[in-house]
């Protein structure tokens, strides 16, 4: 082999390698010249100089392979002495047998893994589904492309839960040449966890974040206009601002908001007493997209300020004027009449409001209004309530607490809401009687929460009607002193329907029924109902596994040392007498109380397994050893008014079965008894043994098989005696834990959830 031939083969190897890389960027229509036509003119120096260029091409090809869009590289320039190699005709029958570059081309779709072929938009959507910030942080460490698509998610809402994390975030934002423009990624800032320490100087680095959409500075009392104004200056992206209880904020900040935040939709300045009414008028004139406005305890605001919002902000959805005592009738009428989308109107403690605020409304309906709070508007009468129901027929939450002039006529009007009514508070409306409550229950069968505290005329008659509400979750009967254990047992036995029993294979067993559901009650307030005894409360605890709050302050039967250990500690502001009678079980306290009463043998004589007819004269109870799966103690200690935005509920479930006249004992064998499953008041139906044929042809009653150690199986119900339960002790609850999150400069551990269920958390008094 001659030296010229060796040089020609070496040249072709280099060109082939280089062409294999470049061909990925060359259109498929490019036609290459036969390899045999390449002149042998490459020197050794040119071969050596081609190696770095090949490396650069490989790097460029790798970067382009990660791109979401395909691109084509331009054809080599004319000064390249090998350029004619790429422009010739295609000839696969070359004398040297070397395939052309088109045959050697490798398609990107074949060599790239599937994840790299996904567009950036799909990757961002996938990363956004990650619940853990630690996972997002590890995504960023995978490659540069993933980092570019995940960094926005990681910095979208930096968690400033501790001072150290806040300092770390501020230092990152102050970096001169950061890897990413972090300040542009921040959309939400919440410094509420640092309200005790954050001040004007500590928020200066955050002023560079000009794309913040939500800014929360709740209870940050040390922040003044000096710190707030730089945060909102030149920030036209701000949509929601919460400076509630920031007492140092004045009208200077309000004027800055009106100037720079034209797109503002939500504002909370509750407790900002230094804000002038004139500044609020300017805000209403400039921020016309406001939807949610909370002005609680801004007692300096006048009618003109609220009228400005009614005039210039027609898209208001929610407005809260709690404790704005200078507000009269005119702003209320204007807000309802001109609000095209008003859903929530809270006017608690606006003492100047009377009937004229609603009687002045035009004769048309306001379909969007869902929540109306008129607490302590004691000038209102039945006429105002009738007008409210007439113009707002789709109200779901109504609060008339301490409207002491309301009578049964108001309740008759409220009953016109029908299935739309879910939440009703009539505390201290002491003129209400049983007849009005029964009318309300008959018309509004979807009530979930009702408070009739201090309605002293109510008796067992109305409470037993309330117990038939199929979706009742919370009921307040504080100081309804005329109710007895009959009311409590009716609440316990509510909504318990029967279904046919099935065997282990899913086959229906004829004429055998079991209870399908238990009471839906979650919170029951019975403080100062002095006629209650242990028997009724024990029944309530037994039949309400979802119960998470039970208040029994002032009930003498529960002022016992062995039961008070499960109660929460009274609030600090209570007097000694109030502390002595305080008895509130909440969260885990309810669970522990239920376990204690089920295991303690001394309570067996109080009627845990006796029939409910011992009190109300009808019905039978479940067996003594019935085991009910109770709530795990997770409770929400706060009463939150929620507007249900979902479509209308389906038709209600079947009502509870009618009461029986009496239940005949089973006839002796061999005749089988006739069972009428729906003839009982509440609880499980009475158990009647079924007859089975013996080998000799006679009939004998069928009894449930017996296991060892006193356990018996009655199909799908397992019972345990009280003595055995006491020995066995409470079953351990599974522990849940969340993995520690690994955080980068902005990835931090979320704040720990406060244990609001432990006794001693004085958030809900009697």
């Amino acid at each position: 082999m001659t030296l010229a031939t060796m040089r020609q083969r070496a040249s072709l190897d280099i060109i082939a390698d280089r062409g294999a890389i470049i061909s990925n960027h060359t259109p498929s229509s490019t036609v290459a010249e036969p390899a045999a036509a390449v002149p042998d003119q490459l020197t050794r120096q040119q071969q050596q100089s081609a190696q770095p260029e090949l490396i650069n091409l490989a790097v460029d090809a790798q970067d382009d392979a990660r791109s979401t869009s395909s691109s084509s590289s331009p054809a080599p320039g004319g000064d390249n002495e090998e350029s004619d190699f790429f422009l010739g005709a295609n000839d696969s029958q070359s004398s040297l047998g070397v395939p052309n570059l088109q045959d050697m081309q490798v398609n990107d779709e074949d060599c790239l893994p599937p994840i790299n072929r996904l567009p950036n938009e799909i990757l961002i959507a996938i990363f956004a589904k990650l619940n853990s910030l630690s996972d997002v942080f590890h995504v960023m460490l995978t490659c540069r492309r993933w980092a570019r698509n995940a960094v926005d998610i990681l910095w979208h809402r930096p968690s400033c839960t501790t001072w150290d994390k806040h300092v770390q975030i501020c230092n990152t934002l102050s970096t001169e040449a950061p890897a990413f423009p972090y300040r542009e990624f921040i959309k939400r800032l919440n410094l509420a966890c640092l309200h005790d320490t954050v001040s004007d100087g500590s928020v200066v680095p955050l002023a560079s974040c000009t794309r913040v959409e939500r800014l929360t500075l709740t209870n940050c009392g040390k922040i003044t206009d000096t710190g707030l104004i730089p945060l909102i200056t030149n920030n036209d992206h701000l949509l929601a601002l919460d400076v509630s209880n920031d007492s140092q904020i004045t009208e200077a900040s309000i004027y800055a908001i009106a100037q720079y935040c034209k797109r503002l939709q939500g504002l909370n300045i509750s407790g900002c007493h230094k804000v002038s009414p004139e500044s609020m008028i300017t805000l209403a004139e400039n921020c016309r997209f406001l939807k949610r406005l909370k002005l609680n305890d801004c007692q300096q605001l006048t009618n003109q300020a609220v009228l400005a919002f009614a005039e210039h902000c027609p898209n208001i959805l929610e407005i809260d004027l709690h404790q704005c005592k200078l507000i009269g009738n005119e702003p209320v009428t204007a807000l309802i009449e001109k609000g095209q989308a008003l859903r929530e109107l809270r006017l608690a403690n606006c003492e100047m409001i009377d009937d004229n605020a609603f009687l002045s409304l035009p004769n048309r309906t306001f379909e969007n209004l869902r929540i109306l709070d008129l607490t302590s508007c004691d000038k209102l009468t039945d006429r105002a309530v009738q007008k409210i129901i007439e113009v707002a027929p789709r109200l779901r939450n109504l609060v008339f607490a301490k409207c002491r002039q309301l009578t049964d006529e108001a309740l008759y009007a409220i009953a016109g809401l029908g299935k739309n009514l879910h939440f009703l508070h009539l505390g201290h409306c002491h003129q209400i009687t049983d007849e009005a409550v029964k009318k309300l229950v008959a018309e509004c069968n979807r009530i979930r929460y009702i408070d009739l505290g201090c309605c002293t005329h109510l008796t067992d008659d109305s409470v037993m009607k309330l117990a038939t509400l199929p979706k009742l979750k919370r009921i307040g009967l504080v100081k309804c002193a005329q109710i007895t254990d009959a009311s409590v047992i009716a609440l316990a036995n509510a909504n318990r329907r029967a279904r046919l029993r099935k065997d282990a294979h899913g086959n229906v067993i004829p004429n055998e029924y079991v209870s399908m559901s238990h009471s839906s009650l979650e919170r029951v307030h019975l403080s100062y109902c002095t006629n209650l005894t242990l028997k009724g409360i024990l029944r309530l605890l037994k039949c309400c596994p979802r119960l998470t709050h039970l208040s029994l302050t002032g009930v003498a039967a529960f002022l016992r040392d062995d039961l008070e250990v499960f109660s929460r500690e009274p609030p600090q502001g209570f007097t000694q007498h109030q502390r002595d009678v305080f008895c509130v079980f909440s969260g885990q306290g309810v669970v522990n109380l239920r376990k204690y009463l089920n295991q303690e043998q001394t309570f067996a004589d109080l009627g845990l397994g006796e029939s409910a007819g011992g009190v109300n004269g009808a019905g039978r109870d479940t067996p003594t050893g019935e085991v009910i799966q109770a709530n795990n103690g997770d409770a929400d200690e706060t009463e939150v008014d929620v507007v249900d935005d979902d479509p209308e509920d389906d038709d209600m479930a079947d009502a509870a079965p009618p009461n029986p006249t009496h239940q005949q004992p089973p006839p002796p064998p061999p005749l089988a008894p006739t069972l009428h499953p729906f003839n009982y008041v509440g609880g499980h139906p009475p158990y009647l043994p079924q007859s089975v044929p013996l080998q000799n042809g006679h009939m004998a009653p069928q009894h449930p098989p017996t296991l060892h150690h006193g356990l018996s199986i009655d199909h799908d119900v397992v019972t345990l005696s009280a003595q055995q339960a006491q020995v066995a002790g409470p079953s351990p609850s599974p522990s849940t834990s969340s993995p520690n999150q690994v955080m980068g400069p902005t990835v931090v551990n979320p704040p720990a959830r406060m244990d609001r269920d432990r006794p001693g958390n004085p958030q809900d008094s009697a």
Side-chain angles (χ1 to χ4, degrees):
M1 182 180 296
T2 64
L3 180 60
T5 304
M6 296 176 61
R7 287 182 178 180
Q8 185 180 21
R9 289 190 177 182
S11 301
L12 290 174
D13 292 339
I14 296 175
I15 295 173
D17 293 339
R18 180 177 179 181
I21 299 174
I22 299 178
S23 62
N24 292 332
H25 306 275
T26 304
S28 57
S29 60
T30 302
V31 181
E33 185 182 355
V38 179
D40 185 14
Q41 296 180 356
L42 284 178
T43 63
R44 181 173 301 178
Q45 183 178 0
Q46 290 173 331
Q47 297 175 19
Q48 294 176 355
S49 62
Q51 297 299 330
E53 183 179 358
L54 293 176
I55 295 175
N56 294 334
L57 287 172
V59 173
D60 294 339
Q62 184 179 4
D63 291 339
D64 293 339
R66 296 177 178 177
S67 177
T68 58
S69 60
S70 60
S71 61
S72 300
S73 299
D79 56 346
N80 192 332
E81 58 186 23
E82 303 158 2
S83 60
D84 55 345
F85 178 81
F86 299 91
L87 302 178
N90 185 11
D91 185 4
S92 59
Q93 303 297 330
S94 63
S95 59
L96 296 179
V98 179
N100 61 6
L101 295 183
Q102 188 173 5
D103 296 335
M104 298 170 58
Q105 182 176 354
V106 180
N107 192 0
D108 282 346
E109 298 296 328
D110 297 332
C111 66
L112 290 178
I115 191 64
N116 285 352
R117 296 200 295 266
L118 292 177
N120 290 335
E121 294 78 7
I122 301 298
L123 286 177
I124 294 174
I126 294 174
F127 298 156
K129 299 294 183 180
L130 298 176
N131 296 325
S132 173
L133 293 180
S134 177
D135 294 338
V136 180
F137 178 65
H138 287 94
V139 164
M140 288 189 62
L141 301 180
T142 305
C143 64
R144 285 186 175 272
R145 185 189 176 206
W146 283 27
R148 287 193 300 266
N149 292 325
V151 63
D152 190 5
I153 301 174
L154 196 62
W155 278 83
H156 176 78
R157 181 173 52 188
S159 184
C160 302
T161 55
T162 64
W163 183 255
D164 293 338
K165 295 171 184 176
H166 174 71
V167 171
Q168 189 177 15
I169 292 173
C170 291
N171 292 337
T172 304
L173 294 176
S174 302
T175 304
E176 294 183 358
F180 297 100
Y182 300 112
R183 63 190 64 180
E184 298 180 4
F185 299 147
I186 297 179
K187 299 298 192 302
R188 299 183 183 181
L189 271 177
N190 190 338
L191 303 180
C193 295
L194 306 175
H195 61 89
D196 292 334
T197 56
V198 69
S199 61
D200 293 340
S202 56
V203 298
V204 170
L206 302 177
S208 60
C209 305
T210 58
R211 301 181 65 88
V212 176
E213 297 177 355
R214 295 186 182 182
L215 179 60
T216 304
L217 301 172
T218 306
N219 297 322
C220 298
K222 297 181 180 180
I223 290 183
T224 66
D225 297 331
T226 305
L228 179 59
I229 292 177
L231 293 177
I232 59 182
T233 301
N234 299 323
N235 190 353
D236 57 351
H237 294 82
L238 191 63
L239 300 178
L241 175 63
D242 187 350
V243 290
S244 56
N245 298 321
D246 295 353
S247 56
Q248 302 300 322
I249 301 300
T250 67
E251 63 270 8
S253 296
I254 302 299
Y255 286 124
I257 296 172
Q259 180 180 357
Y260 296 106
C261 306
K262 304 289 186 179
R263 301 168 56 188
L264 191 67
Q265 297 182 12
L267 178 63
N268 187 352
I269 59 169
S270 302
C272 297
H273 305 291
K274 296 183 179 181
V275 174
S276 64
E278 293 76 16
S279 63
M280 297 302 293
I281 296 176
T282 303
L283 179 71
E285 294 173 349
N286 289 272
C287 301
R288 296 175 177 263
F289 299 101
L290 276 171
K291 294 183 178 180
R292 292 172 174 84
L293 191 61
K294 296 183 71 67
L295 308 174
N296 301 3
D297 202 23
C298 293
Q299 302 184 18
Q300 74 278 12
L301 297 185
T302 60
N303 287 344
Q304 288 71 24
V306 181
L307 282 171
F309 288 106
E311 182 69 27
H312 300 288
C313 304
N315 298 321
I316 288 183
L317 296 175
E318 305 170 7
I319 184 168
D320 193 341
L321 300 173
H322 174 77
Q323 205 73 18
C324 296
K325 296 186 176 182
L326 298 180
I327 302 301
N329 295 330
E330 187 179 0
V332 177
T333 306
L335 285 171
I336 299 177
E337 182 178 358
K338 298 182 180 180
Q340 301 176 359
L342 185 64
R343 293 174 56 88
E344 178 177 341
L345 178 60
R346 298 186 179 273
L347 303 168
N349 295 317
C350 295
E351 301 172 352
M352 298 180 62
I353 297 176
D354 57 26
D355 291 351
N356 292 326
F358 304 98
L359 296 178
S360 302
L361 291 171
N363 292 326
R364 63 185 180 92
T365 58
F366 302 93
E367 298 287 342
N368 294 320
L369 191 59
R370 294 292 188 274
I371 298 178
L372 182 61
D373 185 355
L374 295 169
T375 301
S376 296
C377 297
D378 52 4
K379 294 183 180 180
L380 296 178
T381 66
D382 297 338
R383 295 177 58 206
V385 177
Q386 293 169 352
K387 183 64 175 180
I388 291 170
I389 304 304
E390 178 184 345
V391 300
R394 301 190 65 183
L395 279 168
R396 292 195 178 185
N397 291 27
L398 265 178
V399 182
F400 290 112
K402 299 183 180 180
C403 296
R404 294 180 173 84
Q405 298 191 44
L406 300 186
T407 66
D408 287 352
E409 294 298 326
L411 225 58
Y412 294 148
I414 295 173
L417 294 175
K419 64 180 182 180
N420 293 320
L421 185 63
H422 291 177
F423 181 107
L424 181 61
H425 197 319
L426 295 171
H428 295 272
C429 298
H430 55 83
Q431 300 186 52
I432 294 176
T433 64
D434 288 341
E435 295 302 320
V437 175
K438 290 189 288 185
K439 172 67 173 179
L440 179 73
V441 174
E443 300 293 334
C444 306
N445 61 352
R446 295 190 180 183
I447 294 178
R448 292 157 170 78
Y449 177 100
I450 187 168
D451 195 323
L452 298 169
C454 299
C455 296
T456 54
H457 294 300
L458 299 184
T459 65
D460 292 337
D461 194 16
S462 58
V463 178
M464 294 177 70
K465 274 292 185 181
L466 289 170
T468 63
L469 291 171
K471 293 189 176 183
L472 186 63
K473 293 183 178 181
R474 306 179 183 184
I475 185 170
L477 298 170
V478 175
K479 292 188 178 180
C480 295
Q482 296 190 46
I483 67 173
T484 64
D485 286 343
S487 296
V488 180
I489 293 177
L491 291 171
N493 291 335
N495 306 326
R496 305 185 71 182
R497 302 180 295 274
R499 62 177 173 86
L500 287 169
R501 190 190 298 274
K502 296 182 180 180
D503 58 16
H505 303 286
N507 301 320
V508 175
I509 302 177
N511 299 329
E512 291 194 21
Y513 296 84
V514 294
S515 177
M516 183 174 67
S517 61
H518 299 283
S519 174
S520 59
L521 282 174
E522 297 176 0
R523 299 175 68 93
V524 179
H525 302 264
L526 299 171
S527 297
Y528 299 103
C529 296
T530 53
N531 291 328
L532 301 182
T533 65
L534 279 171
K535 185 174 184 178
I537 301 301
L538 292 178
R539 176 68 181 178
L540 185 70
L541 288 169
K542 181 180 180 64
C543 297
C544 299
R546 301 178 182 177
L547 193 66
T548 58
H549 182 93
L550 178 63
S551 63
L552 296 169
T553 298
V555 179
F558 265 74
L559 299 180
R560 302 168 42 137
D561 294 338
D562 57 338
L563 301 181
E564 288 182 353
V565 296
F566 305 109
S567 172
R568 293 191 330 206
E569 292 294 329
Q572 297 295 329
F574 274 23
T575 64
Q576 186 58 42
H577 172 70
Q578 291 173 327
R579 298 175 68 88
D580 292 339
V581 299
F582 183 83
C583 185
V584 175
F585 306 96
S586 184
Q588 192 62 35
V590 176
V591 177
N592 295 336
L593 177 65
R594 183 187 290 112
K595 290 180 180 179
Y596 174 75
L597 296 178
N598 285 335
Q599 296 173 7
E600 186 65 29
Q601 180 62 27
T602 57
F603 293 98
D605 299 334
L606 297 176
L608 276 173
E610 296 178 0
S611 66
V615 177
N616 59 10
R620 289 190 60 178
D621 195 0
T622 57
T624 304
E626 179 188 5
V627 177
I628 298 177
Q629 183 66 32
N631 188 283
N632 61 0
D634 293 337
D636 183 8
E637 293 303 319
T638 58
E639 298 285 356
V640 181
D641 302 341
V642 179
V643 178
D644 188 1
D645 293 331
D646 296 334
E648 294 296 332
D649 298 337
D650 298 332
D651 293 337
M652 301 306 301
D654 297 335
N659 296 344
T661 54
H662 63 278
Q663 182 69 44
Q664 296 292 342
L671 297 178
T674 301
L675 180 64
H676 301 282
F678 293 104
N679 293 334
Y680 66 96
V681 173
H684 291 284
Y687 171 74
L688 296 178
Q690 303 296 312
S691 300
V692 295
L694 299 178
Q695 294 181 355
N696 55 8
H698 296 285
M699 304 293 291
Q702 179 182 3
H703 297 283
T706 302
L707 294 177
H708 298 288
H709 307 295
L711 284 173
S712 63
I713 293 183
D714 184 7
H715 298 285
D716 58 346
V717 178
V718 180
T719 61
L720 183 65
S721 64
Q723 297 91 339
Q724 294 157 350
Q726 185 177 6
V727 174
S731 59
S733 60
S735 60
T736 60
S737 60
S738 58
N740 294 330
Q741 299 179 351
V742 181
M743 316 303 289
T746 58
V747 186
V748 296
N749 287 323
R753 181 176 181 270
M754 296 181 61
D755 185 7
R756 310 175 69 178
D757 301 333
R758 66 175 184 271
N761 186 11
Q763 293 193 16
D764 194 356
S765 60

